[in-house]
Amino acid sequence: ITLGNELKPESILDKSATQASGSETEPVINLASARTILNYCRDNNIPVRGHVLVWHSQTPKWFFTEDYTDNGELVSREVMLERMDAYIKSVLEYFDTQYPNLIYAVDVVNEAFDIENGDKNGVRQKDNLWYETVGDDYYYQAFVSARKYAPIYIKLYYNDYGCSDKVDLILNHLSKAKEEGLINGIGMQAHLSTEDDIGHKFVYAVKSFCDAGYELQITELDIGIKDAKTEDANKKQARKYRALFENMQRLQEEGYPITAITV
C-alpha cells in the first residue's frame, strides 16, 4: 500500500507543537493521520511504500519561516538544512521504532526536475520553497540526511512524473547521490492515457534507469481514457494495462530490477 496523502509533509508536520517547542531547527511531527492505515498494514502483513519526505507541494510555508508562521521571513540555508535533517530523522526513526520492517521504500524526494518550471539546469524553481531556502542542491541534501537515518530494510527512492521525457535530466542530477550510495531506486510515476506509447518510449526509460544501476518501480499507475468511455475505449484501456504489465514482466525476466508496480 502507498498512502495517498497521510505521509505527506502537510499531514505530519505539527505546527502548534513546533511553535511551542522553542527550537529553531527541530520541527515536531505527528503521524496520527497515518496511524489507522499503518496499523492495518502491520496487522495484515502488507508492506508500505512511504510517500513523501521532500516535495515542493503539500509542504506548509510555516515550515520554512523564522517564526513558524505563514507570514514569517524565510530562514537561511543553514537553518533549513538543519530542519530538513531533523525532520527526515524524526520520520524515519518513527517508522523504524513504531513499525519496524513495515515500510520497504520511501520517496525521499518527489518531482525535483522540470525544465518548464526549473532553473537553467532543470531543477524545479517555481513555487518551491526548498529551492528558495536551501538552493539548487536541496534534493541531494535530502538523500544525504535520509541515508544517515534509514534502516537497512528501507530503500531510498527518487520519484517523478513524465520520466520518459527527462531520462537524462534525472540521471545527470542524481549521479552524485548514486555514486555516494545515497539512493537505491527511481519511481516512475505512470499517469498515462490510452493515447500514450507504453511500448518503446516508456520501456526505453525503464531500461535506461536500470542500466544506470537503479532499482525501478512503476508508481502512481493510472491509464486514463481521453475519449468517451465507450466499450471500445474500455477495451483499449485494458489493452494498455496489459501491455504495461507484460512489458515490465518481460524486462524483469530479462534481469532488469523492477521491484514493484503500484496503482
Side-chain angles (χ1 to χ4, degrees):
I1 284 179
T2 306
L3 284 69
N5 291 295
E6 293 81 1
L7 290 178
K8 288 176 179 172
E10 68 179 8
S11 298
I12 65 176
L13 283 164
D14 191 323
K15 182 178 182 180
S16 58
T18 300
Q19 289 173 330
S21 71
S23 171
E24 183 184 43
T25 58
E26 296 188 9
V28 180
I29 63 168
N30 184 338
L31 275 80
S33 64
R35 209 165 290 137
T36 299
I37 303 174
L38 292 176
N39 288 348
Y40 176 86
C41 292
R42 177 199 60 203
D43 296 343
N44 292 279
N45 298 311
I46 301 172
V48 172
R49 194 174 194 285
H51 179 78
V52 52
L53 294 174
V54 171
W55 188 27
H56 67 274
S57 183
Q58 290 185 251
T59 304
K61 183 179 179 181
W62 64 261
F63 181 44
F64 300 90
T65 66
E66 292 179 351
D67 56 0
Y68 296 121
T69 70
D70 291 334
N71 300 315
E73 293 292 321
L74 295 178
V75 298
S76 66
R77 170 182 168 91
E78 291 70 29
V79 170
M80 201 62 222
L81 281 174
E82 289 189 60
R83 284 188 190 177
M84 174 196 280
D85 189 77
Y87 154 67
I88 290 175
K89 179 176 186 284
S90 296
V91 175
L92 292 177
E93 289 186 347
Y94 183 92
F95 287 162
D96 191 37
T97 58
Q98 301 302 310
Y99 297 95
N101 295 297
L102 181 66
I103 289 83
Y104 67 91
V106 169
D107 288 326
V108 178
V109 181
N110 194 46
E111 301 175 357
F113 312 126
D114 187 322
I115 293 292
E116 184 177 343
N117 295 298
D119 63 12
K120 66 182 189 314
N121 295 315
V123 180
R124 185 179 182 100
Q125 187 173 14
K126 183 180 179 181
D127 300 325
N128 189 353
L129 291 173
W130 285 113
Y131 188 101
E132 287 190 47
T133 54
V134 173
D136 63 1
D137 66 338
Y138 77 93
Y139 61 90
Y140 167 77
Q141 299 296 338
F143 279 103
V144 170
S145 292
R147 179 55 76 205
K148 281 195 291 186
Y149 306 117
I152 191 67
Y153 59 86
I154 294 183
K155 298 291 181 68
L156 303 181
Y157 266 74
Y158 174 74
N159 192 59
D160 209 340
Y161 61 86
C163 291
S164 298
D165 295 318
K166 49 187 179 183
V167 172
D168 291 339
L169 181 67
I170 292 171
L171 289 177
N172 289 340
H173 280 300
L174 294 182
S175 61
K176 183 179 180 183
K178 182 71 173 66
E179 289 167 6
E180 296 176 6
L182 308 179
I183 180 173
N184 299 107
I186 291 175
M188 287 179 59
Q189 294 180 23
H191 300 299
L192 303 168
S193 83
T194 51
E195 305 310 310
D196 286 322
D197 174 11
I198 298 176
H200 298 90
K201 192 174 182 180
F202 194 85
V203 168
Y204 171 80
V206 172
K207 293 171 73 172
S208 297
F209 292 137
C210 291
D211 287 341
Y214 295 92
E215 275 189 13
L216 194 286
Q217 295 184 358
I218 307 300
T219 64
E220 307 182 28
L221 172 60
D222 49 73
I223 302 177
I225 296 174
K226 287 194 170 183
D227 304 319
K229 292 178 173 57
T230 62
E231 183 177 357
D232 284 345
N234 288 335
K235 288 180 178 179
K236 185 176 182 180
Q237 182 190 48
R239 289 194 298 270
K240 290 287 183 177
Y241 272 106
R242 177 169 180 160
L244 187 143
F245 276 88
E246 286 184 338
N247 278 321
M248 294 309 104
Q249 183 176 12
R250 174 177 57 81
L251 291 176
Q252 190 189 57
E253 289 171 351
E254 291 175 6
Y256 289 95
I258 300 165
T259 58
I261 297 177
T262 61
V263 179

